[in-house]
Amino acid sequence: MKIAGIIPARYGSSRLPGKPLRDILGHPMIWWVYHRVSSVKELDEVCVATDDERIYRICAEHNIPVMMTSAGHRTAAHRLQEVAGKMEADFYLQLNGDEPLINTGAIAAAIPGEIPQDREFGTNIITEISDPAQVMDASNIKVVFDENYHALYMSRTPVPYPFREISFQYYKHVGIIGYNKKMLDFYKNSQPGRFERIEGIDTLRFLDYGKQLKFIPVPDCHSLSVDTEKDLDMVIRMMKERIEN
């Protein structure tokens, strides 16, 4: 069974243009992401996927496996689907290119013991929300699942609503998602479904069309994506502290 870790990386960002190439302690951000991801022994292959010549060139200079993809992909899943057409694997993990401190344990956890190939199938890491403010934050995507952690719904609003009971735990989506090729092909060849259009959550497309998405809980898995200069300064500070300690 071959597991591929794909790191989509784009240059354009409204808040932090060129962020995959921003310097962190002497190396571009994408270098840190790649080396952290490639340390996960469960991954058989790791590759950056980009449509930008600048990112491609820097990856090549740093001996980072990189694949040039078409321009105009609307989502990371679309870019992964193109990669899956060129790179054969049983499972593809989507790993954010703007998380230089990405949780390596969560990456390994996203790989299920059995990966069906006869139907569309995917996994999504989730974690408990401990801060009530995060429950109300629309940028934190709350998830609902059955007793076997099969996805039922995802929302920017607090779900389920505590009407009759308050003794339950909220969970949120973490941006580590796995797909077999059938799932990626379905995504490319389908249109946004009803709830995806309402909530603005790409992953809801699978639930809109009744595809199997398995949630995998990981304790204290809180991602830190670099979207602003402030985020970048925080990551640099955290890395310095880790190195010093």
Side-chain angles (χ1 to χ4, degrees):
M1 183 168 67
K2 180 179 177 180
I3 310 298
I6 310 301
I7 307 169
R10 62 188 185 91
Y11 193 90
S13 171
S14 58
R15 289 182 288 177
L16 194 62
K19 63 181 176 179
L21 305 184
R22 297 299 290 266
D23 183 83
I24 299 178
L25 303 181
H27 294 287
M29 185 191 304
I30 195 67
W31 183 92
W32 290 99
V33 177
Y34 169 75
H35 281 277
R36 193 159 178 83
V37 169
S38 61
S39 71
V40 179
K41 59 181 177 56
E42 288 84 357
L43 295 177
D44 299 295
E45 188 169 357
V46 178
C47 178
V48 173
T50 186
D51 61 357
D52 190 272
E53 289 285 354
R54 291 160 291 190
I55 296 174
Y56 185 94
R57 184 173 61 254
I58 289 297
C59 287
E61 289 175 2
H62 287 80
N63 297 315
I64 298 172
V66 59
M67 183 180 297
M68 182 65 76
T69 59
S70 305
H73 286 303
R74 297 190 303 275
T75 68
H78 279 121
R79 198 177 304 280
L80 255 69
Q81 193 277 338
E82 181 179 345
V83 172
K86 303 173 183 177
M87 177 193 296
E88 185 175 345
D90 298 290
F91 206 56
Y92 302 85
L93 288 184
Q94 175 184 312
L95 307 165
N96 294 333
D98 60 0
E99 291 188 30
L101 294 172
I102 191 169
N103 188 313
T104 54
I107 295 174
I111 305 169
E114 295 184 6
I115 302 172
Q117 299 296 333
D118 60 341
R119 65 183 186 277
E120 296 89 349
F121 174 77
T123 62
N124 193 158
I125 295 297
I126 61 172
T127 196
E128 291 186 11
I129 301 177
S130 56
D131 183 356
Q134 289 193 20
V135 176
M136 303 305 297
D137 187 346
S139 65
N140 288 320
I141 297 172
K142 276 66 70 175
V143 299
V144 179
F145 45 85
D146 66 17
E147 61 184 10
N148 295 313
Y149 288 98
H150 294 139
L152 297 176
Y153 194 63
M154 311 173 76
S155 180
R156 297 186 183 280
T157 59
V159 289
Y161 184 80
F163 182 69
R164 291 185 179 273
E165 185 176 341
I166 61 172
S167 58
F168 64 88
Q169 183 64 52
Y170 285 102
Y171 285 79
K172 69 176 180 179
H173 149 99
V174 176
I176 298 175
I177 311 173
Y179 316 84
N180 65 6
K181 190 172 186 302
K182 281 186 178 292
M183 192 74 130
L184 287 169
D185 289 344
F186 156 76
Y187 189 85
K188 179 195 175 184
N189 297 319
S190 61
Q191 295 297 317
R194 177 188 176 195
F195 292 113
E196 179 186 356
R197 294 194 303 269
I198 293 171
E199 295 265 14
I201 301 171
D202 300 336
T203 318
L204 265 176
R205 183 174 311 186
F206 304 122
L207 307 186
D208 274 327
Y209 288 90
K211 307 304 178 183
Q212 185 181 6
L213 184 65
K214 175 91 171 182
F215 286 143
I216 300 175
V218 173
D220 299 319
C221 183
H222 302 286
S223 61
L224 178 58
S225 59
V226 176
D227 296 314
T228 65
E229 291 284 357
K230 182 179 179 181
D231 295 335
L232 183 61
D233 291 341
M234 182 184 300
V235 164
I236 291 173
R237 187 166 61 251
M238 292 173 68
M239 284 188 166
K240 283 182 178 178
E241 290 176 356
R242 290 188 179 192
I243 292 171
E244 290 171 357
N245 293 330

